[in-house]
């Protein structure tokens, strides 16, 4: 059994993560640094292990999943909801 953990945005990720997952975390952090959102200073990553594979979620809803077969990581960013403005049409 593997125990999950949390760490700060921009901090050092836990050891034992696949290199491609660390690259995905770094990519997300770089993207958000270039186009910063309010409040990222307090954001944290959450690591959980599902079937011995890491799943990492950022406080904004971004999720990174590891595929051990392909040794790949998939980044899923939260969708942005647009308000339906009837006067816009």
């Amino acid at each position: 059994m593997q125990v999950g953990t949390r760490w700060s945005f921009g901090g050092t990720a836990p050891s034992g993560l696949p290199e491609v997952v660390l690259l995905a975390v770094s990519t997300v952090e770089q993207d958000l640094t270039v186009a910063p959102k309010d409040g990222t200073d307090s954001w944290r990553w959450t690591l959980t292990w599902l079937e011995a594979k890491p799943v990492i979620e950022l406080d904004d809803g971004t999720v990174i999943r590891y595929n051990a077969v392909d040794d790949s990581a998939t980044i899923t960013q939260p969708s942005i909801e647009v308000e339906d403005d009837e006067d816009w049409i």
Side-chain angles (χ1 to χ4, degrees):
M1 181 169 132
Q2 292 175 292
V3 178
T5 190
R6 289 176 58 83
W7 74 97
S8 297
F9 180 88
T12 303
S15 61
L17 292 174
E19 188 66 31
V20 69
V21 172
L22 295 173
L23 179 61
V25 169
S26 176
T27 299
V28 169
E29 290 183 348
Q30 287 175 6
D31 287 349
L32 290 172
T33 301
V34 171
K37 295 182 180 180
D38 293 336
T40 57
D41 295 346
S42 63
W43 285 2
R44 295 177 56 84
W45 291 99
T46 301
L47 166 65
T48 56
W49 294 90
L50 297 175
E51 298 178 0
K53 292 180 277 189
V55 177
I56 301 170
E57 184 170 359
L58 185 58
D59 285 346
D60 77 338
T62 299
V63 176
I64 300 172
R65 294 182 185 277
Y66 177 63
N67 181 332
V69 174
D70 298 334
D71 189 33
S72 64
T74 302
I75 301 168
T76 305
Q77 296 180 323
S79 61
I80 299 171
E81 294 186 25
V82 178
E83 291 185 29
D84 185 19
D85 187 357
E86 294 177 18
D87 294 333
W88 185 77
I89 299 175

